[in-house]
Amino acid sequence: MRQAFDEMSSTDGHVRPAYETLKQWLGGVPQDVLNHRRKEAEYIFRRIGITFAVYGEQNAQERLIPFDIVPRILTKDEWGRLSTGLEQRVKALNMYIRDVYSKREILKAGIVPEDLVYKNPAFRPEMNGQRVPHDLYVHIAGIDIVRTDPDTFYVLEDNARTPSGVSYMLENREIMLRLFPELFSMHKVAPVENYADDLLATLRSLSPQSGHEPNVVILTPGIYNSAYYEHSFLADKLGVDLVEGRDLFVKDGIVFMRTTEGPKRVDVIYRRLDDDFLDPLAFRPDSVLGVPGLMSAYQAGNVTLTNAVGTGVADDKAVYSYMPDIIRFYLGEEPLLPNVPTWRCREADHLKYVLEHLPELVVKEVHGSGGYGMLVGPTADKAQIEKFREKLIADPANFIAQPTLALSTCPTLVEKGIAPRHVDLRPFILSGSDKVRIVPGGLTRVAMKEGSLVVNSSQGGGTKDTWVLDA
Amino acid sequence: MLSRTADNLYWLSRYVERADCLARILDVSQRLAYTPVTYGGSTNEWGSAVLTAGVADLFTERYGPLEEAKEEQVVSFLAFEAENPSSIRNCFEVARTNARSVRTALTSEMWEVINTAWIELRNFPNRALTRDELSRFLAFVKETSLRFDGATFRTMLRNDAYWFSRCGAQLERSDNTARILDVKYHVLLPEKEHVGGPLDYFQWASILRSVSALTAFHWVYRDSVKPWLVADLLILNRQMPRSLAACYDNLARNLDDIASAYGRQGPSQRLARSMLARLTNRNIEDIFQTGLHEFISGFISDNNKLGAEIKEQYLT
């Protein structure tokens, strides 16, 4: 693998303009001061309880995501290009989902193979012919971006169900402002604090009824969910109720919440619960997290669910590989943000290529997430590769493969001082009935281990504050 | 507000209050247990600690009869054991679980008290504590409840969330005071022999200590410790924040605040008012005359009934 692109300095030691001040500052601050501030940040995170749960680990029920105090910087131009591309992508995603659940023109045109829709476990036949407010399905999207050189940002993944991480984006900024106020006086950093206002405005714009202030709630699976902190954080920032399934009930097709003053009607539910668990009458009957009858209230148009039911049909990794064509089909435009070249193992010639090149490729499950169940060829040993080969041959349609990208690196504080570590970026795109809103930046995830390309928090990845410079 | 949120706030405060009460009970038992036998008499303080904590059945199931209860058993059972749903450790666990579920209804100061206590709890060893360690532990528990109440008082908006939280604390507190009286009422009865002996003094003083009221007693009555005055202080005296009357003063007021915010009175307001009336305009002689024990057990059962009414009216 070739030398990765570092966002601060090029190989000849030349520092990119956006990082000049930061680099100088880093050079002037003793290592132990940095270490001390990092500990302070950790202490604050722990004390205010910003933790996440790792599934399948008994004693580590609540863990901190490592926070790196060195910010990641994007220029105004870079962000401008990114945000236009993101808006384009999300627009196409929404049009695609609408089409899949109505006329299916894209299938008729032979652009996307039918079985990618009909055999997709995230496809919801209940949504066929169902109109949703303003034809919007993905109101809150998280699009994962990686960078390989000064000019190339790839979309790595679309998250169109319940993308998480935005609380870290906001808390990281908050902590940076507390710990390094001097850095903010040296840089003109675009604010992210308005995200909560933007989200609330977006959610309100989606209310099925007009004429009164909509009652917006956030629906959480509860405190044992890995992202519970984020759910409660958002409810707090938005000033809306954080409800669990048992707080809601449906009567005569209307959703109510149980309050100390009796039932109160609910208009918009920002649900952080997968489709499967939403309504035991419509989906998994064993779900105790959902609300019986919710789906019928939704189908009657009496409540808005964000994101809509069935958006998963657009964000698995097999559909991903068709995104450039999807954008061209609905918008008649070239994609502004390219896809990472992707081999679909469902196609015989692609599979052949992948099997011949496993040690160089990253192979992912079509429906996987969180960095689970993937093969990173260059860092895997022979036995792992052979084991994966068997899985791949047994069910090729379940996998896609991509070249191992040399993800860009950013300066990061590690044991030995400041060193480059690989990063990605998850911006959050809000689509309301009035407009699309994107706060500048997003969540930068960083692989804390040297050379590692896996940035997922479940795999030990950390996060950074992301700065978009205003000038 | 969401019924579940109100329920969580109410129980969060109840559990913090309960942990505080347990710490006091252990504190006093320890003191009595180390008092010379000639003064302490033959009563088993550790057994009555279990009785006061209201977990006698569970305890006997695990360790045998109360009369033979040993210090290590009682300390471990009331403070740490997971099998005892009301152990201090469990109180803090449940308090934090509740706090996590209603983070948005708590101020960050309140959350930090609970979360920090929960983290610190892990620093206490999971074995029998030395006497020093136990003292430190009990001080930590009492300090946590002080900080929690302080954070609540200083930072919370005065709205339904605050009132439900206070109702929980007051209901738990009056239950605790009543149970202390229930277990010890016999030493307050005038017909007891040897009244005024050193044994009685230690018993009376220990009742006062268990509600942190020994100093207050002297300020209020400017008299030596007498059993009917102890009963008066803990039942009828509104100056005393742990007295039944003071708790019901607060309960009736908080419930009224809720009712006027919601524009509707209900069964819990009516019951709280009638209980408050029972504690107002009475003197302690009346209560002794009609039977202290009957009065206390009647109170405990009505207090539980109020808990059930609040639950029915608001929390489900």
Side-chain angles (χ1 to χ4, degrees):
Chain A
M1 194 167 61
R2 66 193 163 85
Q3 173 76 36
F5 163 73
D6 187 74
E7 299 192 4
M8 180 162 80
S9 333
S10 54
T11 35
D12 58 13
H14 173 77
V15 179
R16 271 166 250 286
Y19 274 93
E20 269 168 13
T21 317
L22 181 70
K23 168 120 196 193
Q24 213 171 14
W25 181 87
L26 280 173
V29 182
Q31 168 89 12
D32 57 332
V33 172
L34 291 178
N35 283 337
H36 179 74
R37 301 262 183 110
R38 191 192 47 164
K39 285 207 183 95
E40 215 174 314
E42 201 183 300
Y43 173 73
I44 297 171
F45 274 121
R46 170 98 45 204
R47 205 182 41 160
I48 53 186
I50 310 178
T51 57
F52 75 109
V54 180
Y55 296 124
E57 277 185 36
Q58 270 286 304
N59 289 319
Q61 206 197 51
E62 286 175 33
R63 281 209 321 215
L64 286 182
I65 295 188
F67 169 68
D68 181 59
I69 56 172
V70 186
R72 188 239 193 120
I73 302 180
L74 296 169
T75 65
K76 192 178 183 177
D77 279 353
E78 288 164 350
W79 175 249
R81 279 167 41 217
L82 270 174
S83 63
T84 349
L86 291 166
E87 195 168 335
Q88 178 197 50
R89 187 135 181 143
V90 171
K91 209 164 155 191
L93 277 173
N94 272 308
M95 295 175 83
Y96 171 69
I97 299 169
R98 185 192 167 202
D99 190 25
V100 159
Y101 290 117
S102 54
K103 297 181 181 154
R104 303 200 175 118
E105 279 163 356
I106 199 162
L107 306 186
K108 288 175 199 150
I111 311 254
V112 172
E114 291 197 342
D115 66 328
L116 265 195
V117 172
Y118 298 129
K119 287 191 183 163
N120 193 322
F123 175 71
R124 298 287 167 206
E126 296 84 351
M127 292 299 287
N128 285 333
Q130 173 75 35
R131 286 297 293 267
V132 298
H134 314 284
D135 291 328
L136 289 172
Y137 290 79
V138 185
H139 316 104
I140 299 136
I143 308 286
D144 292 348
I145 302 285
V146 294
R147 187 180 193 180
T148 52
D149 61 55
D151 302 310
T152 316
F153 290 93
Y154 284 114
V155 173
L156 185 65
E157 201 172 300
D158 303 291
N159 296 282
R161 301 178 209 204
T162 54
S164 63
V166 79
S167 59
Y168 294 97
M169 170 183 92
L170 295 168
E171 291 283 27
N172 288 354
R173 175 63 53 85
E174 186 61 35
I175 294 246
M176 287 300 283
L177 284 164
R178 257 160 99 164
L179 294 181
F180 302 103
E182 69 272 25
L183 272 179
F184 288 87
S185 62
M186 296 182 232
H187 296 87
K188 206 169 164 203
V189 181
V192 295
E193 292 81 349
N194 51 319
Y195 178 81
D197 291 346
D198 285 359
L199 177 57
L200 187 59
T202 302
L203 294 173
R204 284 189 169 154
S205 78
L206 299 164
S207 175
Q209 347 173 55
S210 51
H212 73 287
E213 183 157 301
N215 182 17
V216 175
V217 299
I218 297 179
L219 174 63
T220 174
I223 63 167
Y224 298 108
N225 185 268
S226 66
Y228 178 76
Y229 171 75
E230 176 155 306
H231 308 160
S232 73
F233 174 89
L234 286 174
D236 201 21
K237 293 283 173 206
L238 267 61
V240 303
D241 280 305
L242 179 65
V243 302
E244 294 179 16
R246 58 193 158 123
D247 295 321
L248 302 179
F249 68 95
V250 177
K251 201 180 165 207
D252 302 330
I254 310 275
V255 183
F256 293 95
M257 60 185 201
R258 296 176 220 275
T259 80
T260 51
E261 294 173 85
K264 185 176 174 195
R265 180 168 179 171
V266 174
D267 302 300
V268 179
I269 301 176
Y270 175 18
R271 46 92 173 214
R272 297 291 297 256
L273 195 61
D274 291 340
D275 288 354
D276 274 342
F277 298 97
L278 273 180
D279 179 352
L281 301 181
F283 306 117
R284 277 177 62 158
D286 59 337
S287 168
V288 291
L289 302 172
V291 185
L294 181 58
M295 200 55 197
S296 67
Y298 180 58
Q299 284 170 318
N302 292 332
V303 69
T304 301
L305 294 175
T306 70
N307 288 340
V309 173
T311 54
V313 78
D315 80 349
D316 70 47
K317 295 182 179 73
V319 179
Y320 162 88
S321 65
Y322 292 94
M323 272 311 285
D325 295 328
I326 289 174
I327 292 170
R328 286 184 201 106
F329 182 77
Y330 294 109
L331 300 174
E333 300 168 0
E334 274 307 299
L336 298 171
L337 295 172
N339 259 19
V340 178
T342 301
W343 290 276
R344 305 166 187 131
C345 301
R346 64 205 309 277
E347 292 172 24
D349 49 336
H350 286 206
L351 176 64
K352 183 162 176 285
Y353 178 89
V354 172
L355 288 172
E356 282 164 7
H357 296 84
L358 277 180
E360 327 158 5
L361 299 173
V362 176
V363 191
K364 299 173 179 174
E365 282 186 35
V366 169
H367 299 287
S369 70
Y372 293 103
M374 65 190 267
L375 174 79
V376 182
T379 60
D381 60 32
K382 270 221 162 81
Q384 284 168 319
I385 289 179
E386 288 320 305
K387 215 173 138 206
F388 209 90
R389 184 189 302 277
E390 285 170 25
K391 272 166 69 179
L392 182 54
I393 293 170
D395 187 11
N398 193 30
F399 295 93
I400 55 115
Q402 292 167 339
T404 317
L405 295 180
L407 299 192
S408 61
T409 56
C410 278
T412 301
L413 180 64
V414 296
E415 294 268 314
K416 291 181 200 140
I418 304 286
R421 290 290 182 269
H422 295 290
V423 294
D424 79 350
L425 177 69
R426 175 179 289 183
F428 296 91
I429 301 91
L430 301 173
S431 305
S433 67
D434 49 349
K435 59 174 177 178
V436 174
R437 298 169 172 90
I438 316 178
V439 297
L443 178 66
T444 291
R445 297 186 295 178
V446 51
M448 302 299 286
K449 270 184 244 148
E450 185 170 4
S452 168
L453 293 167
V454 186
V455 296
N456 302 78
S457 53
S458 48
Q459 312 282 315
T463 67
K464 282 169 167 292
D465 191 14
T466 312
W467 290 4
V468 172
L469 296 186
D470 240 349
Chain B
M1 74 191 303
L2 283 176
S3 297
R4 181 175 52 84
T5 306
D7 187 62
N8 275 318
L9 285 167
Y10 169 89
W11 280 105
L12 166 58
S13 299
R14 277 198 84 152
Y15 276 108
V16 172
E17 186 68 27
R18 187 171 295 178
D20 179 81
C21 297
L22 287 165
R24 279 165 212 287
I25 292 171
L26 286 172
D27 223 5
V28 171
S29 308
Q30 204 184 16
R31 176 185 279 268
L32 273 180
Y34 295 119
T35 304
V37 183
T38 41
Y39 296 142
S42 57
T43 52
N44 183 340
E45 279 313 316
W46 294 110
S48 72
V50 173
L51 212 52
T52 312
V55 286
D57 289 351
L58 269 178
F59 183 88
T60 29
E61 211 172 278
R62 194 165 159 75
Y63 291 109
L66 282 189
E67 300 75 49
E68 291 159 30
K70 305 257 184 323
E71 171 174 359
E72 316 83 70
Q73 297 169 341
V74 174
V75 169
S76 139
F77 189 71
L78 294 188
F80 298 110
E81 281 181 29
E83 290 76 12
N84 171 10
S86 290
S87 69
I88 293 176
R89 186 188 290 282
N90 272 341
C91 284
F92 280 174
E93 290 280 349
V94 179
R96 181 166 182 278
T97 304
N98 278 10
R100 275 192 83 199
S101 319
V102 293
R103 274 195 69 148
T104 56
L106 298 180
T107 61
S108 55
E109 287 84 354
M110 293 165 78
W111 161 254
E112 284 182 19
V113 174
I114 295 297
N115 195 42
T116 310
W118 180 78
I119 293 167
E120 274 178 37
L121 191 59
R122 282 152 194 239
N123 296 335
F124 288 95
N126 232 342
R127 52 163 169 80
L129 300 185
T130 65
R131 211 186 295 173
D132 274 358
E133 284 170 337
L134 181 61
S135 299
R136 245 185 325 114
F137 175 73
L138 297 178
F140 149 76
V141 174
K142 286 190 274 187
E143 195 182 315
T144 296
S145 69
L146 280 177
R147 289 177 57 211
F148 183 73
D149 271 7
T152 307
F153 181 75
R154 289 180 67 111
T155 62
M156 236 183 149
L157 289 175
R158 290 331 192 235
N159 57 16
D160 43 1
Y162 178 77
W163 298 319
F164 282 116
S165 157
R166 294 319 296 156
C167 281
Q170 298 293 340
L171 205 73
E172 181 68 28
R173 181 178 273 200
S174 56
D175 181 61
N176 180 67
T177 302
R179 271 188 292 111
I180 289 174
L181 287 166
D182 194 38
V183 173
K184 295 283 187 175
Y185 81 97
H186 51 90
V187 304
L188 295 175
L189 293 178
E191 52 271 16
K192 206 173 167 290
E193 288 169 44
H194 314 300
V195 170
L199 166 64
D200 292 307
Y201 176 81
F202 276 104
Q203 289 287 355
W204 301 333
S206 77
I207 294 178
L208 291 172
R209 268 188 227 280
S210 63
V211 292
S212 304
L214 187 54
T215 317
F217 179 92
H218 295 293
W219 279 102
V220 172
Y221 298 103
R222 302 193 177 277
D223 198 348
S224 56
V225 180
K226 301 208 169 63
W228 56 91
L229 293 182
V230 172
D232 183 69
L233 183 69
L234 297 193
I235 297 174
L236 297 178
N237 197 309
R238 291 201 196 185
Q239 296 177 51
M240 170 64 209
R242 288 179 181 275
S243 75
L244 304 184
C247 290
Y248 266 81
D249 225 11
N250 287 320
L251 269 169
R253 184 149 20 90
N254 289 328
L255 284 167
D256 264 345
D257 286 334
I258 293 169
S260 67
Y262 295 169
R264 198 184 324 172
Q265 293 268 337
S268 61
Q269 279 82 11
R270 286 192 284 278
L271 181 54
R273 267 200 302 274
S274 95
M275 300 221 5
L276 180 60
R278 233 188 291 167
L279 296 161
T280 316
N281 305 323
R282 305 240 351 219
N283 56 45
I284 200 70
E285 286 78 21
D286 286 353
I287 292 177
F288 272 95
Q289 220 131 62
T290 51
L292 179 62
H293 188 226
E294 290 70 18
F295 180 86
I296 301 287
S297 11
F299 178 89
I300 291 176
S301 123
D302 286 346
N303 196 50
N304 288 337
K305 205 183 290 167
L306 180 62
E309 291 289 8
I310 293 175
K311 181 174 178 188
E312 173 70 27
Q313 196 174 335
Y314 296 113
L315 308 181
T316 47

